């Protein structure tokens, strides 16, 4: 229950909004409130397993996570080569970054974890980690680039602080990886296209950037008690049928910042009820950052949070899984480690007793 309790107030607030400020049908109201309810739905099944059991499962199945990142990359290549996916003018696949960026990054982190645990050699780690890393160059997605850079730098810094003495193996791997990425960025058309896309992140003349700023400004146009309760739920009809996405329908096109969206939906109360448990879980995870598994989960969680700052992530079940699952699983494993450390007997005083 300790893992579930921090998320229950957000879920309760979402249900309160459905009951009191629902502007549409029950279905449309619940759909909008799910941004506050998803964390609890994910935390409940995670809490049925102990932190030690979660650690055992992840440690034994980490090769599956690596395989997932590689499989997603190969799928993207297949669709690109067979012309079964929309390719942008820069020759990149946008959907690979918007939909599958999190499993790509998880595959990359899994390779680093297996290397740190001594299960992969330097060469195999370099080759296997390169697959999901290079896949990011196939995407036309600025926020995926930003999330990858920030989460990777965090992983490197946290690992360096956890291991004061540098590892020759990790140094060789890092050097080779940085060199390979630089060569691809500078010497290949896809790499140069990726750099150009990243450079346009703050370009106010870019239609996509302008449109996202407009949506964000519209979402923050709250008045009076809306700052507390939000603009309400059920504002747009839901017919539960497949239909083309329309950019003039904010409920489906979405504010490309899930935290601003939670502010619009649930007001400051809803936003704070999401941010507080995030801070609590992140604190628990960071305290055990010396653990290689916890460190990797931290990187994946940060990656997903950064993606949520620039995309429609927390509003849908699939996207929210990649945010809430790392946070809840990481917190459970970290708290189990903390309990074991607290329960360990103190070392006896080696000094002889005075007479």
């Amino acid at each position: 229950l300790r893992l579930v309790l921090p998320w229950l107030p957000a879920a309760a607030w979402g249900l309160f909004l459905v009951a009191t400020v629902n502007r549409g049908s029950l279905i449309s109201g619940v759909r909008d409130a799910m941004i506050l309810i998803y964390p609890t739905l994910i935390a409940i099944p995670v809490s049925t397993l102990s932190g030690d059991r979660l650690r055992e499962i992840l440690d034994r199945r980490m090769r599956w996570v690596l395989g997932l990142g590689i499989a997603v990359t190969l799928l993207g290549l297949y669709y690109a080569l067979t012309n079964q996916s929309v390719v942008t003018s820069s020759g990149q696949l946008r959907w690979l970054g918007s939909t599958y960026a999190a499993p790509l990054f998880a595959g990359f982190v899994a390779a680093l974890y297996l290397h740190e645990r001594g299960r992969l050699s330097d060469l195999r780690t370099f080759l296997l980690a390169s697959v999901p890393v290079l896949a990011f160059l196939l995407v036309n997605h600025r926020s995926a680039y930003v999330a990858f850079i920030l989460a990777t730098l965090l992983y490197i810094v946290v690992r360096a602080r956890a291991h004061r003495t540098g590892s020759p193996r990790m140094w060789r791997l890092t050097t080779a990886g940085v060199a390979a990425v630089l060569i691809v960025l500078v010497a290949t058309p896809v790499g140069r296209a990726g750099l150009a896309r990243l450079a346009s992140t703050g370009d106010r003349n870019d239609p996509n950037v302008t449109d996202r700023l407009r949506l964000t400004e519209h979402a923050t146009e709250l008045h009076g008690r809306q700052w507390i309760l939000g603009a309400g739920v059920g504002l747009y009809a839901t017919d539960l049928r497949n239909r083309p996405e329309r950019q003039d329908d904010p409920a489906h096109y979405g504010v490309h910042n899930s935290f601003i969206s939670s502010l619009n939906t649930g007001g400051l109360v809803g936003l704070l009820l999401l941010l507080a448990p995030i801070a609590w879980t992140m604190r628990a995870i960071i305290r055990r950052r010396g653990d290689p598994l916890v460190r990797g989960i931290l990187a994946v969680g940060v990656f997903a949070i950064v993606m949520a700052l620039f995309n429609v992530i927390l509003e849908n079940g699939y996207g929210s899984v990649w945010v809430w699952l790392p946070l809840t699983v990481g917190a459970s494993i970290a708290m189990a480690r903390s309990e074991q450390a607290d329960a360990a007997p103190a070392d006896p005083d080696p000094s002889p007793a005075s007479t």
Side-chain angles (χ1 to χ4, degrees):
L1 288 179
R2 181 174 58 172
L3 195 64
V4 178
L5 286 176
W7 306 104
L8 285 178
W13 184 251
L15 295 176
F16 170 78
L17 295 177
V18 173
T20 59
V21 290
N22 188 5
R23 313 299 185 191
S25 67
L26 177 62
I27 293 176
S28 60
V30 171
R31 181 202 63 180
D32 291 346
M34 287 306 294
I35 191 172
L36 300 169
I37 300 173
Y38 279 130
T40 300
L41 296 182
I42 293 173
I44 289 175
V46 171
S47 66
T48 61
L49 298 173
S50 67
D52 291 336
R53 179 57 178 157
L54 289 169
R55 168 184 292 280
E56 179 185 352
I57 293 173
L58 276 177
D59 184 71
R60 292 177 58 186
R61 306 302 183 190
M62 192 59 70
R63 291 181 183 272
W64 291 19
V65 179
L66 173 58
L68 175 63
I70 295 174
V72 169
T73 303
L74 296 178
L75 181 65
L77 287 172
Y78 170 76
Y79 279 123
L81 295 175
T82 57
N83 295 319
Q84 296 185 47
S85 179
V86 177
V87 179
T88 67
S89 58
S90 60
Q92 295 164 302
L93 306 175
R94 180 175 177 80
W95 64 269
L96 196 62
S98 60
T99 306
Y100 298 112
L104 284 174
F105 187 75
F108 165 68
V109 172
L112 298 182
Y113 173 78
L114 291 171
H115 177 266
E116 191 165 356
R117 301 296 293 176
R119 299 183 205 169
L120 288 179
S121 65
D122 291 353
L123 179 60
R124 291 182 66 188
T125 303
F126 174 76
L127 294 176
L128 293 174
S130 296
V131 176
V133 170
L134 295 179
F136 278 96
L137 297 176
L138 291 175
V139 308
N140 189 11
H141 210 275
R142 288 169 289 211
S143 55
Y145 297 154
V146 173
F148 178 85
I149 292 171
L150 293 179
T152 302
L153 287 176
L154 173 69
Y155 181 89
I156 293 173
V157 170
V158 170
R159 189 190 184 283
R161 296 189 65 178
H163 300 274
R164 298 295 183 180
T165 58
S167 168
R169 293 183 68 216
M170 185 58 71
W171 173 250
R172 290 194 300 268
L173 183 63
T174 303
T175 303
V178 171
V181 170
L182 288 177
I183 291 173
V184 171
L185 290 176
V186 174
T188 66
V190 173
R192 291 194 294 271
L195 283 176
R197 183 66 175 172
L198 178 62
S200 66
T201 300
D203 186 2
R204 293 297 185 95
N205 296 320
D206 186 294
N208 184 261
V209 174
T210 302
D211 188 47
R212 294 192 179 198
L213 291 175
R214 178 184 60 81
L215 286 168
T216 301
E217 182 179 359
H218 175 72
T220 54
E221 290 178 350
L222 302 175
H223 307 282
R225 70 172 189 170
Q226 287 184 339
W227 283 104
I228 305 299
L229 299 176
V233 296
L235 299 176
Y236 297 90
T238 298
D239 55 17
L240 298 182
R241 293 178 298 177
N242 294 326
R243 63 179 183 177
E245 183 182 80
R246 296 177 54 201
Q247 293 193 8
D248 59 345
D249 182 355
H252 291 83
Y253 181 54
V255 179
H256 278 59
N257 183 324
S258 288
F259 296 101
I260 294 297
S261 180
S262 67
L263 171 66
N264 179 267
T265 299
L268 288 171
V269 173
L271 177 60
L272 292 175
L273 290 178
L274 280 183
L275 293 180
I278 290 176
W280 175 77
T281 54
M282 290 292 287
R283 178 177 179 272
I285 294 172
I286 291 174
R287 288 181 62 187
R288 308 305 304 179
R289 60 188 178 275
D291 185 323
L293 181 58
V294 174
R295 184 163 57 246
I297 295 173
L298 171 64
V300 175
V302 169
F303 178 92
I305 289 174
V306 174
M307 288 291 290
L309 286 169
F310 299 98
N311 296 278
V312 182
I313 298 293
L314 304 183
E315 296 87 333
N316 64 82
Y318 169 79
S320 62
V321 164
W322 288 101
V323 177
W324 307 127
L325 192 60
L327 291 181
T328 52
V329 170
S332 179
I333 294 175
M335 288 188 294
R337 294 284 289 184
S338 296
E339 291 172 354
Q340 293 170 4
D342 293 340
D347 294 334
D349 188 354
S351 60
S354 60
T355 57

